[in-house]
Amino acid sequence: MTTETFEFQVEARQLLQLMIHSVYSNKDVFLRELVSNASDALDKLRLEKLRDDSLDADVSDLHIEIDIDKDARTLTVRDNGIGMSYDEVGQLIGTIANSGTAGFLKELREAQDGAGAEGLIGQFGVGFYSGFMVADEVTLVTRHAGESQGTRWTSRGESTYTLEKVDDAPQGTSVTLHLKPADPENQLHDYTSPWTIREIVKRYSDFITWPIRMVPEQGDGEDAPEPETLNSMKALWARSRDEVSDDEYHELYKHISHDWREPLETIRLQAEGTFEYQALLFVPSHAPHDLFTRDFKRGVQLYVKRVFIMDDCEALLPPYLRFVKGVVDAQDLSLNVSREILQQDRHIRMMQRRLTKKVLSTVKEIKTKDADRYATFWREFGTVLKEGLVTDSENRDAILAVASFATTHAEDEPTTLAQYVERMKDGQEDIYYITGESRQSIENSPHMEAFRDKGIEVLLLTDAVDEVWVDAVGEYEGKKLRSVVKGEIDLDGEKDEKDGGEREKQAEEYAGLLGWMRERLDEDIKEVRLSARLTVSPACVVSDAHDLTPALENMYRAMGQEVPRTKRILELNPDHPLVKNLNQAYKEREDHSGLVESAELLHTLAVLAEGGQPKDPARFVKLVADRLERTL
């Protein structure tokens, strides 16, 4: 057969060099990754055979085999699973960039230590290449189930690899590692030692549902021994809690999630009755790097009677719990179930409701019993959990019970809505909040001045989803959620009674200026009024009570939804010297043309103060420069 030679891409070569030069302190993980890949291949073949009875493939004894040749110093991991075609080998093995090489390299450089780097292999789908940590040369032979011809891939991990078609390849895939010499000082063990292989398989892959077999060493004069099965193949979710150690649970989590860190929490659930199922779920301790990307893979696997059915089963948990990893094993589903059927299945919907409630109740328990672990959870997953306040009205109260928010009450301690309500001042009717990009920017917002002056607590919401959920929730325990940047705010009625006559007098005194500014700024604002929320700044812009905020408008436009531009309201501080002088100049001059620029500048300054952008930056700079020139 013709052998073709190909060059690795630049990033692939970089990755291989990192692998070869021992970036990982624990090189044992190569076997975990190869066994995991083999297990996936067996799962895929089993599922494909269920879907297509005509597939010409032997599924009578699906297994993984590990073969050691001490004389040749080779280690082979072999499976009789789905295998790969010639084209698939070129795409999946020859082109590492398809597996996220750039992201892998970036994360690898940022990892603090060997332990931190260890789990990145599987996370980015480059587990096959971990073999180069322990081998000088890797040979892969594979044949796709149902095809007659196989493929051999060979590389020394340098700049090239070879591909050739072979006729005698068995069904499945075998990966042969031509091992480097053992080097204990660099954590490079002797992987021709059966004891070493048994220990690694037991540590990482004991729960794999397929048998992992190895032929024991043959003594002098002995008959060839029978292969021994190295793993127990016991489904951890089917065993009682007393039979399983935390380490075993954690290894299952690492296998499912490709995360090197231990999970934050393990959740067990067993449902009996008319519809039986078992669930073993994990809450990670860190958010995955791609949690908010469109292609993020859910982490819950679906089994039926311990037979693997599908990865990332979206129907088992709502999108806002997509960070949860684990396994659900149902007893009464069809083995030939599809994603489309799952979306409509009544039992699946029942499972989703119960699993959702179980996860939320577990988070509530963490919040109650362990403040540090709850702080970790909310820091990593609070943003995505708040999506449920918009999409899951059934569990909205449960989500609010575990949600916490930054607040002006304390700089470092978030608060719950229940705690906020307990601290509300006498006569305060609403829960006040403000949204923005950062705590610093919104704390310094002009809209906060009166609240700070009167000691009224405000929730500081800085996640994009905060713009949406506050409107969806609306109120909490009868207290309305109210933005400090929308509608009219009158805090005086909640504390000291202000002389109504003085307010009326101010309204009359400024009536002319307000009307004139309204006409001059008609393109940008719909109203000019005196403010009750400003104590220091001369002006601010606010939205009407039922209008979209600028941030929400931008969010909808980013999602491709056209929304009309909303004119906002300009509020003036009648006690500020600048506003007083502007009003005085308006009254004294018959020709107000010279004041138009001042009104425009005042409005633009208000927009800038809340983090907005001038409508015409060049004009704004020119007006400011002209004013500065006149003062010198």
Side-chain angles (χ1 to χ4, degrees):
M1 292 294 177
T2 303
T3 301
E4 294 185 89
T5 300
F6 301 88
E7 286 195 3
F8 283 115
Q9 296 176 346
V10 174
E11 286 183 336
R13 288 201 297 270
Q14 292 176 358
L15 174 59
L16 286 167
Q17 288 306 306
L18 285 171
M19 291 287 187
I20 292 167
H21 292 93
S22 307
V23 295
Y24 292 98
S25 60
N26 182 7
K27 296 176 178 59
D28 294 350
V29 296
F30 86 91
L31 187 56
R32 179 193 70 187
E33 293 301 320
L34 295 181
V35 168
S36 181
N37 289 346
S39 175
D40 289 344
L42 295 171
D43 287 338
K44 290 174 181 176
L45 179 60
R46 177 67 174 269
L47 188 57
E48 192 63 29
K49 186 67 174 177
L50 287 170
R51 291 172 175 168
D52 182 6
D53 289 336
S54 65
L55 180 67
D56 182 17
D58 181 10
V59 294
S60 60
D61 182 29
L62 298 180
H63 65 278
I64 301 167
E65 182 180 335
I66 299 177
D67 183 47
I68 295 173
D69 186 333
K70 285 194 172 184
D71 294 334
R73 285 200 56 78
T74 61
L75 174 71
T76 301
V77 178
R78 184 181 298 110
D79 68 74
N80 55 347
I82 193 70
M84 288 177 282
S85 67
Y86 184 90
D87 290 340
E88 286 174 332
V89 173
Q91 293 168 5
L92 301 176
I93 303 298
T95 313
I96 315 179
N98 288 343
S99 299
T101 311
F104 176 87
L105 293 172
K106 178 177 181 292
E107 293 281 336
L108 189 57
R109 293 186 186 106
E110 293 175 355
Q112 296 296 314
D113 49 36
E118 177 185 317
L120 294 177
I121 292 177
Q123 180 179 338
F124 285 88
V126 292
F128 170 77
Y129 295 91
S130 60
F132 284 100
M133 294 190 296
V134 300
D136 291 319
E137 181 176 296
V138 177
T139 300
L140 175 144
V141 178
T142 184
R143 177 171 65 83
H144 195 282
E147 294 187 356
S148 59
Q149 195 169 58
T151 304
R152 179 182 289 113
W153 179 100
T154 305
S155 178
R156 296 187 61 83
E158 295 169 349
S159 59
T160 63
Y161 61 92
T162 63
L163 276 179
E164 65 178 310
K165 297 179 180 180
V166 292
D167 290 328
D168 56 349
Q171 171 190 302
T173 301
S174 68
V175 179
T176 299
L177 307 178
H178 301 263
L179 296 168
K180 299 175 181 178
D183 185 358
E185 290 186 4
N186 290 316
Q187 302 296 311
L188 187 61
H189 302 131
D190 181 7
Y191 297 109
T192 64
S193 163
W195 181 89
T196 299
I197 298 304
R198 286 191 191 93
E199 192 274 333
I200 295 173
V201 170
K202 187 70 177 176
R203 182 180 356 137
Y204 288 120
S205 308
D206 189 58
F207 49 81
I208 294 291
T209 52
W210 306 105
I212 303 172
R213 298 170 183 164
M214 183 174 68
V215 177
E217 289 184 278
Q218 183 177 353
D220 294 338
E222 295 181 0
D223 294 333
E226 290 293 317
E228 63 174 307
T229 299
L230 305 182
N231 59 322
S232 69
M233 295 180 289
K234 292 182 180 179
L236 299 188
W237 55 90
R239 295 158 64 183
S240 68
R241 179 65 182 89
D242 296 338
E243 297 178 5
V244 186
S245 69
D246 288 341
D247 287 342
E248 288 178 297
Y249 280 139
H250 294 169
E251 286 305 325
L252 175 61
Y253 165 74
K254 293 174 183 178
H255 172 70
I256 293 171
S257 66
H258 301 299
D259 182 6
W260 59 272
R261 293 160 287 217
E262 294 184 354
L264 187 70
E265 183 64 43
T266 302
I267 304 172
R268 289 179 53 90
L269 180 63
Q270 182 160 341
E272 299 178 345
T274 56
F275 185 68
E276 296 184 3
Y277 60 92
Q278 298 158 321
L280 184 58
L281 304 178
F282 302 95
V283 177
S285 57
H286 290 77
H289 66 97
D290 55 350
L291 181 61
F292 292 98
T293 63
R294 185 185 298 273
D295 298 327
F296 178 75
K297 298 290 186 183
R298 311 268 183 98
V300 178
Q301 299 177 345
L302 175 64
Y303 284 70
V304 174
K305 298 176 183 176
R306 303 192 190 182
V307 176
F308 174 80
I309 301 300
M310 68 180 66
D311 261 325
D312 54 278
C313 184
E314 298 177 359
L316 291 172
L317 284 172
Y320 67 89
L321 293 179
R322 58 186 177 272
F323 55 86
V324 175
K325 310 294 183 182
V327 171
V328 174
D329 190 353
Q331 305 303 310
D332 302 306
L333 287 176
S334 166
L335 289 174
N336 197 22
V337 69
S338 68
R339 292 183 186 274
E340 291 72 26
I341 293 174
L342 288 176
Q343 296 294 337
Q344 308 299 325
D345 191 277
R346 180 174 63 88
H347 288 136
I348 290 291
R349 291 198 298 270
M350 291 169 53
M351 289 168 61
Q352 188 196 80
R353 282 198 292 270
R354 183 162 182 191
L355 292 171
T356 299
K357 292 183 184 299
K358 180 65 174 179
V359 172
L360 293 176
S361 66
T362 301
V363 175
K364 185 176 182 180
E365 186 176 345
I366 294 173
K367 182 177 182 297
T368 303
K369 296 182 178 180
D370 194 330
D372 290 339
R373 289 171 70 233
Y374 168 75
T376 297
F377 169 82
W378 192 254
R379 181 183 68 248
E380 299 294 326
F381 303 110
T383 300
V384 67
L385 194 71
K386 285 187 287 188
E387 293 175 11
L389 295 172
V390 182
T391 59
D392 188 359
S393 57
E394 180 182 346
N395 291 296
R396 186 171 287 163
D397 290 342
I399 299 172
L400 284 175
V402 300
S404 59
F405 312 97
T407 172
T408 55
H409 176 73
E411 185 172 345
D412 299 323
E413 295 182 14
T415 191
T416 64
L417 293 185
Q419 292 169 329
Y420 182 103
V421 170
E422 288 178 5
R423 293 193 294 263
M424 285 174 62
K425 293 182 174 295
D426 293 339
Q428 183 180 340
E429 298 295 330
D430 301 323
I431 298 172
Y432 291 105
Y433 70 88
I434 183 171
T435 59
E437 293 185 357
S438 68
R439 177 173 183 136
Q440 181 179 4
S441 66
I442 56 181
E443 272 194 310
N444 294 328
S445 168
H447 303 96
M448 294 286 291
E449 292 173 2
F451 293 89
R452 189 182 301 110
D453 187 55
K454 298 179 183 297
I456 296 177
E457 184 176 357
V458 178
L459 301 178
L460 307 173
L461 309 179
T462 56
D463 293 324
V465 69
D466 294 329
E467 294 281 353
V468 184
W469 76 257
V470 286
D471 287 332
V473 173
E475 64 176 39
Y476 177 79
E477 293 188 359
K479 306 292 185 182
K480 183 179 178 182
L481 290 164
R482 189 171 179 190
S483 171
V484 304
V485 304
K486 295 177 72 172
E488 292 199 61
I489 299 291
D490 184 3
L491 302 180
D492 294 315
E494 296 175 353
K495 192 175 182 183
D496 301 322
E497 287 294 334
K498 190 172 183 179
D499 182 8
E502 181 182 344
R503 182 166 299 178
E504 290 180 8
K505 182 179 178 181
Q506 280 185 336
E508 182 178 339
E509 181 181 349
Y510 282 89
L513 176 66
L514 299 181
W516 174 79
M517 289 184 68
R518 165 69 180 83
E519 292 178 3
R520 295 299 178 273
L521 301 174
D522 179 65
E523 288 187 8
D524 301 305
I525 61 174
K526 61 181 175 183
E527 184 183 349
V528 183
R529 67 190 182 203
L530 298 182
S531 178
R533 72 186 91 210
L534 296 174
T535 61
V536 178
S537 300
C540 67
V541 284
V542 300
S543 301
D544 245 342
H546 302 291
D547 285 346
L548 295 178
T549 63
L552 201 52
E553 285 184 16
N554 293 335
M555 190 185 305
Y556 282 129
R557 291 190 182 103
M559 294 187 295
Q561 300 183 32
E562 284 300 322
V563 292
R565 179 172 171 271
T566 304
K567 289 185 179 182
R568 304 181 72 198
I569 300 166
L570 178 64
E571 288 192 352
L572 304 181
N573 179 0
D575 297 320
H576 194 281
L578 177 58
V579 177
K580 287 182 177 180
N581 291 339
L582 184 62
N583 187 44
Q584 187 66 29
Y586 170 80
K587 290 180 178 180
E588 293 177 353
R589 301 179 190 176
E590 294 184 3
D591 179 10
H592 299 137
S593 58
L595 298 179
V596 173
E597 291 182 355
S598 298
E600 187 179 338
L601 280 171
L602 188 61
H603 170 251
T604 306
L605 289 172
V607 171
L608 288 170
E610 67 165 6
Q613 297 293 325
K615 184 176 67 173
D616 186 347
R619 175 171 171 75
F620 173 69
V621 170
K622 182 178 184 303
L623 292 178
V624 172
D626 289 345
R627 291 301 172 99
L628 288 173
E629 183 180 349
R630 294 176 204 170
T631 63
L632 297 176

